[in-house]
Amino acid sequence: MSQLRYCQGPRCHTYDTKDRKKGPKDNKRNETRRRSSFYYLDGNCCSMQCMYDWFNVYGSRALDHFGRTTQPKVLTQDNAWRKRYDWNRDGNDRHYVYNHLTEEQRPITEQQYDNENTITHDGRLAI
Ligand SMILES: [Zn+2]
């Protein structure tokens, strides 16, 4: 059983919906949503609105904390690799890595296709 967590949207409790209402008739209040899972902000917010609210309050500080992009990132043939496969009706799917600048293709195994380390997070071939 997964643990219940609160939506991280700083204004979640201010949105007036039935599921946020708590308390007895004479002491009604709205509370932050609590769920076992959320779809937004990498599983931390209950709605797109709460995600935007979070970013409006904390986004600039998060960028300063983790480091802003201060120089252009560059795509070259060294980091233009993507995994692809061609689905085949007879079950012989063709897995390969594809360089979308040079259009070079290199075959890989299904295991390499499923392995998230075959291509680095920034698009470099690691095999
Ligand atoms: Zn929320």
Side-chain angles (χ1 to χ4, degrees), residues 9 30 33 48 69 76 92 94 99:
N30 284 11
R33 272 187 176 145
M48 204 174 279
T69 298
T76 67
N92 293 320
R94 193 172 74 91
N99 189 302

Side-chain angles (χ1 to χ4, degrees), residues 9-16 20 30-33 50:
R11 293 172 46 83
C12 190
H13 63 291
T14 67
Y15 301 111
D16 198 31
R20 289 177 170 100
N30 284 11
E31 290 187 2
T32 300
R33 272 187 176 145
C50 283

